[in-house]
Amino acid sequence: CPALVIHSKADILAPQSNISLVYDAISSENKEKLIVEMAGHNLFVSNPDQEIIFKNIVSFFNRFREK
């Protein structure tokens, strides 16, 4: 199952080291991680990285969607 893990360096609730723990625990060969700079913990509210996040999500879904 493909997995996309997203984290922001500005997230004060979840330490950046957590992304490696989560990413490494995913057994799928189809996994990616995206680290953005300025979004907070809730990546889906208005933030400076919102366009980057949404574009990466759409691109990821498009690569792995069933045809």
Side-chain angles (χ1 to χ4, degrees):
C1 177
L4 174 62
V5 182
I6 305 171
H7 181 74
S8 174
K9 291 181 179 180
D11 185 345
I12 60 172
L13 297 177
Q16 190 168 345
S17 58
N18 283 0
I19 193 170
S20 294
L21 294 172
V22 172
Y23 184 83
D24 293 343
I26 297 170
S27 61
S28 174
E29 291 182 18
N30 297 317
K31 61 183 179 180
E32 297 178 17
K33 59 182 160 181
L34 171 65
I35 300 174
V36 294
E37 298 291 326
M38 299 181 286
H41 184 72
N42 186 344
L43 299 171
F44 300 104
V45 297
S46 182
N47 68 73
D49 292 318
Q50 193 169 44
E51 186 173 340
I52 295 167
I53 293 167
F54 289 160
K55 282 184 177 182
N56 274 271
I57 291 170
V58 169
S59 175
F60 185 83
F61 283 158
N62 285 336
R63 283 195 307 278
F64 295 106
R65 69 181 174 170
E66 292 182 338
K67 300 204 180 219

mmCIF file of all heavy atoms in Angstrom, residues 20-46:
data_model
loop_
_atom_site.group_PDB
_atom_site.id
_atom_site.type_symbol
_atom_site.label_atom_id
_atom_site.label_comp_id
_atom_site.label_asym_id
_atom_site.label_seq_id
_atom_site.Cartn_x
_atom_site.Cartn_y
_atom_site.Cartn_z
ATOM 1 N N SER A 20 11.049 9.874 10.734
ATOM 2 C CA SER A 20 11.889 8.718 10.411
ATOM 3 C C SER A 20 11.349 7.453 11.064
ATOM 4 O O SER A 20 11.370 6.383 10.453
ATOM 5 C CB SER A 20 13.329 8.962 10.858
ATOM 6 O OG SER A 20 13.889 10.003 10.099
ATOM 7 N N LEU A 21 10.861 7.562 12.284
ATOM 8 C CA LEU A 21 10.279 6.395 12.960
ATOM 9 C C LEU A 21 9.083 5.857 12.183
ATOM 10 O O LEU A 21 8.957 4.652 11.968
ATOM 11 C CB LEU A 21 9.842 6.759 14.386
ATOM 12 C CG LEU A 21 10.933 7.128 15.369
ATOM 13 C CD1 LEU A 21 10.326 7.645 16.664
ATOM 14 C CD2 LEU A 21 11.821 5.924 15.631
ATOM 15 N N VAL A 22 8.208 6.747 11.758
ATOM 16 C CA VAL A 22 7.020 6.344 11.011
ATOM 17 C C VAL A 22 7.417 5.812 9.641
ATOM 18 O O VAL A 22 6.993 4.727 9.232
ATOM 19 C CB VAL A 22 6.028 7.522 10.878
ATOM 20 C CG1 VAL A 22 4.890 7.178 9.941
ATOM 21 C CG2 VAL A 22 5.504 7.926 12.244
ATOM 22 N N TYR A 23 8.241 6.553 8.936
ATOM 23 C CA TYR A 23 8.649 6.176 7.584
ATOM 24 C C TYR A 23 9.339 4.807 7.584
ATOM 25 O O TYR A 23 9.046 3.951 6.754
ATOM 26 C CB TYR A 23 9.579 7.246 7.011
ATOM 27 C CG TYR A 23 9.986 7.013 5.582
ATOM 28 C CD1 TYR A 23 9.166 7.390 4.527
ATOM 29 C CD2 TYR A 23 11.210 6.417 5.276
ATOM 30 C CE1 TYR A 23 9.535 7.181 3.205
ATOM 31 C CE2 TYR A 23 11.583 6.205 3.962
ATOM 32 C CZ TYR A 23 10.750 6.586 2.937
ATOM 33 O OH TYR A 23 11.119 6.378 1.628
ATOM 34 N N ASP A 24 10.261 4.610 8.508
ATOM 35 C CA ASP A 24 10.999 3.346 8.566
ATOM 36 C C ASP A 24 10.114 2.167 8.945
ATOM 37 O O ASP A 24 10.412 1.024 8.593
ATOM 38 C CB ASP A 24 12.170 3.451 9.541
ATOM 39 C CG ASP A 24 13.254 4.413 9.059
ATOM 40 O OD1 ASP A 24 13.272 4.747 7.851
ATOM 41 O OD2 ASP A 24 14.067 4.843 9.894
ATOM 42 N N ALA A 25 9.023 2.419 9.645
ATOM 43 C CA ALA A 25 8.114 1.342 10.066
ATOM 44 C C ALA A 25 7.158 0.918 8.952
ATOM 45 O O ALA A 25 6.517 -0.131 9.052
ATOM 46 C CB ALA A 25 7.317 1.783 11.291
ATOM 47 N N ILE A 26 7.063 1.695 7.902
ATOM 48 C CA ILE A 26 6.169 1.372 6.781
ATOM 49 C C ILE A 26 6.879 0.355 5.889
ATOM 50 O O ILE A 26 7.974 0.606 5.400
ATOM 51 C CB ILE A 26 5.805 2.638 5.982
ATOM 52 C CG1 ILE A 26 5.045 3.612 6.864
ATOM 53 C CG2 ILE A 26 4.991 2.275 4.738
ATOM 54 C CD1 ILE A 26 4.848 4.992 6.245
ATOM 55 N N SER A 27 6.229 -0.788 5.685
ATOM 56 C CA SER A 27 6.878 -1.861 4.919
ATOM 57 C C SER A 27 6.732 -1.706 3.405
ATOM 58 O O SER A 27 7.419 -2.385 2.649
ATOM 59 C CB SER A 27 6.321 -3.217 5.358
ATOM 60 O OG SER A 27 4.931 -3.278 5.110
ATOM 61 N N SER A 28 5.878 -0.832 2.969
ATOM 62 C CA SER A 28 5.654 -0.651 1.538
ATOM 63 C C SER A 28 6.916 -0.160 0.842
ATOM 64 O O SER A 28 7.665 0.659 1.381
ATOM 65 C CB SER A 28 4.531 0.367 1.305
ATOM 66 O OG SER A 28 4.389 0.647 -0.069
ATOM 67 N N GLU A 29 7.132 -0.660 -0.373
ATOM 68 C CA GLU A 29 8.230 -0.147 -1.185
ATOM 69 C C GLU A 29 7.850 1.189 -1.825
ATOM 70 O O GLU A 29 8.712 1.943 -2.264
ATOM 71 C CB GLU A 29 8.594 -1.159 -2.269
ATOM 72 C CG GLU A 29 9.237 -2.406 -1.718
ATOM 73 C CD GLU A 29 9.644 -3.386 -2.805
ATOM 74 O OE1 GLU A 29 9.747 -2.981 -3.978
ATOM 75 O OE2 GLU A 29 9.861 -4.552 -2.467
ATOM 76 N N ASN A 30 6.557 1.463 -1.882
ATOM 77 C CA ASN A 30 6.043 2.708 -2.458
ATOM 78 C C ASN A 30 5.752 3.692 -1.339
ATOM 79 O O ASN A 30 4.607 3.900 -0.952
ATOM 80 C CB ASN A 30 4.779 2.443 -3.281
ATOM 81 C CG ASN A 30 5.045 1.552 -4.455
ATOM 82 O OD1 ASN A 30 6.045 1.717 -5.139
ATOM 83 N ND2 ASN A 30 4.183 0.601 -4.696
ATOM 84 N N LYS A 31 6.804 4.264 -0.802
ATOM 85 C CA LYS A 31 6.629 5.233 0.278
ATOM 86 C C LYS A 31 7.501 6.447 -0.011
ATOM 87 O O LYS A 31 8.563 6.349 -0.610
ATOM 88 C CB LYS A 31 6.967 4.623 1.633
ATOM 89 C CG LYS A 31 8.401 4.137 1.769
ATOM 90 C CD LYS A 31 8.621 3.491 3.117
ATOM 91 C CE LYS A 31 10.053 2.979 3.246
ATOM 92 N NZ LYS A 31 10.285 2.358 4.559
ATOM 93 N N GLU A 32 6.980 7.585 0.419
ATOM 94 C CA GLU A 32 7.696 8.844 0.234
ATOM 95 C C GLU A 32 7.502 9.699 1.472
ATOM 96 O O GLU A 32 6.516 9.551 2.188
ATOM 97 C CB GLU A 32 7.141 9.606 -0.975
ATOM 98 C CG GLU A 32 7.323 8.891 -2.287
ATOM 99 C CD GLU A 32 6.708 9.649 -3.457
ATOM 100 O OE1 GLU A 32 6.426 10.853 -3.328
ATOM 101 O OE2 GLU A 32 6.510 9.012 -4.505
ATOM 102 N N LYS A 33 8.446 10.592 1.688
ATOM 103 C CA LYS A 33 8.270 11.564 2.764
ATOM 104 C C LYS A 33 8.492 12.956 2.208
ATOM 105 O O LYS A 33 9.308 13.159 1.307
ATOM 106 C CB LYS A 33 9.144 11.275 3.964
ATOM 107 C CG LYS A 33 10.621 11.236 3.741
ATOM 108 C CD LYS A 33 11.318 10.881 5.045
ATOM 109 C CE LYS A 33 12.701 10.363 4.790
ATOM 110 N NZ LYS A 33 13.367 9.990 6.028
ATOM 111 N N LEU A 34 7.724 13.868 2.738
ATOM 112 C CA LEU A 34 7.808 15.271 2.361
ATOM 113 C C LEU A 34 7.989 16.070 3.644
ATOM 114 O O LEU A 34 7.179 15.952 4.569
ATOM 115 C CB LEU A 34 6.527 15.713 1.639
ATOM 116 C CG LEU A 34 6.379 17.205 1.379
ATOM 117 C CD1 LEU A 34 7.456 17.710 0.421
ATOM 118 C CD2 LEU A 34 4.991 17.518 0.843
ATOM 119 N N ILE A 35 9.037 16.852 3.698
ATOM 120 C CA ILE A 35 9.266 17.725 4.850
ATOM 121 C C ILE A 35 9.173 19.160 4.354
ATOM 122 O O ILE A 35 9.912 19.566 3.460
ATOM 123 C CB ILE A 35 10.624 17.463 5.511
ATOM 124 C CG1 ILE A 35 10.694 16.011 5.993
ATOM 125 C CG2 ILE A 35 10.860 18.430 6.663
ATOM 126 C CD1 ILE A 35 12.041 15.593 6.543
ATOM 127 N N VAL A 36 8.227 19.899 4.918
ATOM 128 C CA VAL A 36 8.046 21.301 4.549
ATOM 129 C C VAL A 36 8.582 22.186 5.665
ATOM 130 O O VAL A 36 8.863 21.713 6.767
ATOM 131 C CB VAL A 36 6.563 21.613 4.228
ATOM 132 C CG1 VAL A 36 6.113 20.861 2.984
ATOM 133 C CG2 VAL A 36 5.656 21.298 5.396
ATOM 134 N N GLU A 37 8.694 23.459 5.393
ATOM 135 C CA GLU A 37 9.366 24.378 6.315
ATOM 136 C C GLU A 37 8.453 25.098 7.303
ATOM 137 O O GLU A 37 8.789 25.217 8.475
ATOM 138 C CB GLU A 37 10.137 25.431 5.514
ATOM 139 C CG GLU A 37 11.234 24.863 4.638
ATOM 140 C CD GLU A 37 12.400 24.315 5.427
ATOM 141 O OE1 GLU A 37 12.722 24.862 6.487
ATOM 142 O OE2 GLU A 37 12.987 23.313 4.969
ATOM 143 N N MET A 38 7.302 25.604 6.842
ATOM 144 C CA MET A 38 6.591 26.594 7.651
ATOM 145 C C MET A 38 5.179 26.229 8.098
ATOM 146 O O MET A 38 4.540 27.014 8.791
ATOM 147 C CB MET A 38 6.556 27.914 6.893
ATOM 148 C CG MET A 38 7.942 28.457 6.617
ATOM 149 S SD MET A 38 7.957 30.017 5.741
ATOM 150 C CE MET A 38 7.512 29.490 4.099
ATOM 151 N N ALA A 39 4.671 25.079 7.706
ATOM 152 C CA ALA A 39 3.323 24.699 8.137
ATOM 153 C C ALA A 39 3.377 24.314 9.615
ATOM 154 O O ALA A 39 4.410 23.899 10.129
ATOM 155 C CB ALA A 39 2.818 23.523 7.313
ATOM 156 N N GLY A 40 2.265 24.441 10.289
ATOM 157 C CA GLY A 40 2.195 24.008 11.680
ATOM 158 C C GLY A 40 1.848 22.531 11.754
ATOM 159 O O GLY A 40 2.045 21.775 10.803
ATOM 160 N N HIS A 41 1.305 22.115 12.903
ATOM 161 C CA HIS A 41 0.958 20.701 13.092
ATOM 162 C C HIS A 41 -0.180 20.270 12.169
ATOM 163 O O HIS A 41 -0.157 19.172 11.637
ATOM 164 C CB HIS A 41 0.591 20.444 14.557
ATOM 165 C CG HIS A 41 0.318 19.021 14.859
ATOM 166 N ND1 HIS A 41 1.322 18.072 14.904
ATOM 167 C CD2 HIS A 41 -0.834 18.367 15.117
ATOM 168 C CE1 HIS A 41 0.792 16.901 15.179
ATOM 169 N NE2 HIS A 41 -0.506 17.043 15.318
ATOM 170 N N ASN A 42 -1.166 21.136 11.995
ATOM 171 C CA ASN A 42 -2.291 20.821 11.105
ATOM 172 C C ASN A 42 -1.915 21.292 9.700
ATOM 173 O O ASN A 42 -2.021 22.465 9.374
ATOM 174 C CB ASN A 42 -3.575 21.492 11.578
ATOM 175 C CG ASN A 42 -4.779 21.083 10.770
ATOM 176 O OD1 ASN A 42 -4.652 20.539 9.683
ATOM 177 N ND2 ASN A 42 -5.955 21.350 11.305
ATOM 178 N N LEU A 43 -1.509 20.360 8.879
ATOM 179 C CA LEU A 43 -0.993 20.693 7.547
ATOM 180 C C LEU A 43 -2.060 21.178 6.577
ATOM 181 O O LEU A 43 -1.744 21.695 5.513
ATOM 182 C CB LEU A 43 -0.299 19.463 6.950
ATOM 183 C CG LEU A 43 0.894 18.933 7.733
ATOM 184 C CD1 LEU A 43 1.345 17.597 7.159
ATOM 185 C CD2 LEU A 43 2.032 19.929 7.723
ATOM 186 N N PHE A 44 -3.337 21.001 6.934
ATOM 187 C CA PHE A 44 -4.407 21.297 5.989
ATOM 188 C C PHE A 44 -5.112 22.625 6.241
ATOM 189 O O PHE A 44 -6.042 22.974 5.542
ATOM 190 C CB PHE A 44 -5.404 20.136 5.951
ATOM 191 C CG PHE A 44 -4.745 18.857 5.527
ATOM 192 C CD1 PHE A 44 -4.455 17.877 6.448
ATOM 193 C CD2 PHE A 44 -4.366 18.670 4.206
ATOM 194 C CE1 PHE A 44 -3.819 16.707 6.055
ATOM 195 C CE2 PHE A 44 -3.727 17.510 3.807
ATOM 196 C CZ PHE A 44 -3.458 16.522 4.738
ATOM 197 N N VAL A 45 -4.667 23.383 7.226
ATOM 198 C CA VAL A 45 -5.191 24.738 7.398
ATOM 199 C C VAL A 45 -4.286 25.684 6.620
ATOM 200 O O VAL A 45 -3.165 25.329 6.234
ATOM 201 C CB VAL A 45 -5.263 25.160 8.888
ATOM 202 C CG1 VAL A 45 -6.226 24.272 9.650
ATOM 203 C CG2 VAL A 45 -3.914 25.161 9.537
ATOM 204 N N SER A 46 -4.745 26.882 6.401
ATOM 205 C CA SER A 46 -3.982 27.855 5.629
ATOM 206 C C SER A 46 -2.582 28.031 6.228
ATOM 207 O O SER A 46 -2.430 28.278 7.422
ATOM 208 C CB SER A 46 -4.731 29.183 5.619
ATOM 209 O OG SER A 46 -4.033 30.126 4.847
#
